[in-house]
Amino acid sequence: MFLGMQYGFRTSCSRSLLPHRKKVSLLSHCCSCSSNTNSTIPELEEKLRRKQEYVFRLTKDVEARRQKFDSQYDWLIRFFGFYSTESVAIQRANKLFHNLEVQSQRNGFKRLLGLNIEDEVSFQTTQHLLMLHTWFVHKRLLKEGDSGKMVQENLFDNVWEDTKRRIRAAGINELSVNKHLMETQKWSFGSCVTYDHGFEIENDKNEELATALWRAVFQSDDSVPDKKVLQLANYVRKQMKVLYDVPTDRFLEGDIDWLDPPMTTRDDMLIDSNVKIWRPTYSATGKLYYWNIYTRESRWKAEAEPWEAE
């Protein structure tokens, strides 16, 4: 069975599906979000207003420059294959990856996992949340048939490159990076297979899907309340339905309607909306740098956001 190819894992791998599963109780699984507010909300709302104004001006400027460049050098762009099938697939995969990566890092997931907003997230937790949202996009790409296959392949290339950068950033010796990558690919792939299995069962009130999520995202932690696991399972069901309803042209351009994570508060939504334009990431060698999500510029040092200084 070569299911690994389905998930961009280029070696064959067979793995049994949860031979020993914890069955999740269905008691008290209704969603509940904290409604607490604090004095930071007016400040965050003002920052968000300034950010929206700045982004509006910035995107208009970027679009104007792009159109000017395209009109002047369209022949050159076409000559170098920028609009070729392969190039378009790479561009679409890049947009989809960036979109799902941002969603996987939202603060509601920290609350769900019992972390404080300012806490650092472990490599394993980051990877599990990233793979869960990659699995969402993978399932949606399957609806696109052959046109989605090339995008999917490039999407997983992005996932594994990001994984490799985070492995290096964790201080792993260069000689061991590929070994750690293969190990991570195996359990990441295994999680996707269990999500498939749980998602296909629709008459068990999400027990099987919740079990798969408990073993992966919650890392088989017996102290996690069943209610939290079922909240995440409900999020998965609802999010998948939303994704299936997104028109193809919007979806392939990375325009995805994401739901709020379980336990998201108003504070979280404001903080998430105020996500920095200059985002931290890692180079191929594991060195931290910052890149602008709108202009695609990069720099080595963090600086104040332009809209915060206005």
Side-chain angles (χ1 to χ4, degrees):
M1 181 168 63
F2 290 85
L3 291 175
M5 291 298 290
Q6 183 180 3
Y7 289 103
F9 185 34
R10 299 173 193 255
T11 60
S12 61
C13 175
S14 61
R15 182 165 176 166
S16 61
L17 299 178
L18 298 178
H20 304 289
R21 301 182 180 89
K22 173 194 176 188
K23 287 296 181 184
V24 179
S25 168
L26 296 176
L27 296 176
S28 304
H29 65 274
C30 60
C31 293
S32 63
C33 296
S34 169
S35 59
N36 294 334
T37 60
N38 57 43
S39 59
T40 64
I41 287 182
E43 180 184 352
L44 288 171
E45 289 176 336
E46 174 59 21
K47 281 186 176 182
L48 178 58
R49 183 191 65 78
R50 293 203 304 268
K51 176 188 175 182
Q52 289 172 335
E53 291 177 352
Y54 176 80
V55 169
F56 178 74
R57 297 195 303 269
L58 180 63
T59 50
K60 282 185 65 177
D61 179 61
V62 170
E63 180 62 19
R65 283 187 288 168
R66 186 192 66 80
Q67 290 180 357
K68 181 179 179 181
F69 183 87
D70 286 354
S71 64
Q72 290 179 336
Y73 300 104
D74 182 70
W75 64 272
L76 188 60
I77 294 172
R78 293 184 182 279
F79 177 78
F80 283 106
F82 187 76
Y83 298 120
S84 67
T85 301
E86 182 178 2
S87 180
V88 169
I90 292 172
Q91 295 169 53
R92 287 173 169 173
N94 291 344
K95 292 176 183 177
L96 287 168
F97 176 74
H98 166 66
N99 194 308
L100 70 88
E101 180 188 32
V102 171
Q103 174 69 6
S104 73
Q105 295 172 356
R106 290 186 59 185
N107 287 317
F109 293 115
K110 282 188 174 184
R111 292 190 187 279
L112 188 69
L113 295 169
L115 301 172
N116 295 318
I117 298 304
E118 63 275 7
D119 287 348
E120 289 290 329
V121 180
S122 70
F123 174 88
Q124 287 84 358
T125 298
T126 299
Q127 187 70 19
H128 278 302
L129 288 172
L130 182 70
M131 287 307 303
L132 174 61
H133 289 82
T134 301
W135 174 79
F136 282 134
V137 175
H138 151 75
K139 295 285 285 185
R140 178 61 178 80
L141 283 170
L142 292 178
K143 285 187 63 178
E144 303 306 321
D146 291 339
S147 64
K149 289 181 180 178
M150 189 175 293
V151 176
Q152 181 172 244
E153 181 178 328
N154 285 285
L155 173 66
F156 276 96
D157 284 345
N158 271 321
V159 172
W160 304 135
E161 283 301 315
D162 176 77
T163 303
K164 189 182 294 187
R165 287 194 290 266
R166 284 185 286 108
I167 290 172
R168 289 194 174 104
I172 300 300
N173 184 286
E174 185 63 31
L175 295 176
S176 301
V177 168
N178 285 336
K179 174 187 174 183
H180 281 80
L181 175 63
M182 290 189 66
E183 291 174 353
T184 304
Q185 285 176 324
K186 288 179 181 178
W187 55 257
S188 296
F189 166 62
S191 296
C192 290
V193 173
T194 61
Y195 298 155
D196 278 340
H197 180 71
F199 188 76
E200 289 169 1
I201 301 174
E202 298 181 348
N203 59 354
D204 70 339
K205 299 183 180 180
N206 274 348
E207 284 194 26
E208 201 70 24
L209 179 58
T211 299
L213 292 165
W214 173 76
R215 290 178 66 93
V217 178
F218 294 96
Q219 298 176 54
S220 301
D221 185 352
D222 286 316
S223 67
V224 176
D226 291 346
K227 180 173 72 173
K228 285 190 174 183
V229 184
L230 285 159
Q231 283 179 321
L232 185 57
N234 290 334
Y235 163 81
V236 169
R237 289 280 183 197
K238 292 176 182 177
Q239 183 61 73
M240 202 67 254
K241 183 179 185 304
V242 170
L243 272 180
Y244 280 148
D245 291 339
V246 176
T248 296
D249 55 343
R250 277 185 52 203
F251 173 74
L252 292 178
E253 291 304 314
D255 186 2
I256 299 175
D257 298 321
W258 293 109
L259 301 177
D260 290 326
M263 300 186 69
T264 297
T265 66
R266 185 186 177 197
D267 298 42
D268 294 334
M269 288 188 284
L270 285 169
I271 294 170
D272 289 336
S273 297
N274 275 287
V275 65
K276 292 186 177 296
I277 292 172
W278 288 94
R279 289 182 57 78
T281 189
Y282 295 99
S283 68
T285 58
K287 185 176 180 180
L288 181 67
Y289 74 97
Y290 300 83
W291 67 284
N292 190 302
I293 62 177
Y294 294 100
T295 66
R296 306 292 177 174
E297 298 171 273
S298 60
R299 58 172 62 150
W300 289 112
K301 295 182 179 179
E303 297 181 14
E305 296 287 303
W307 49 273
E308 289 183 338
E310 292 186 354

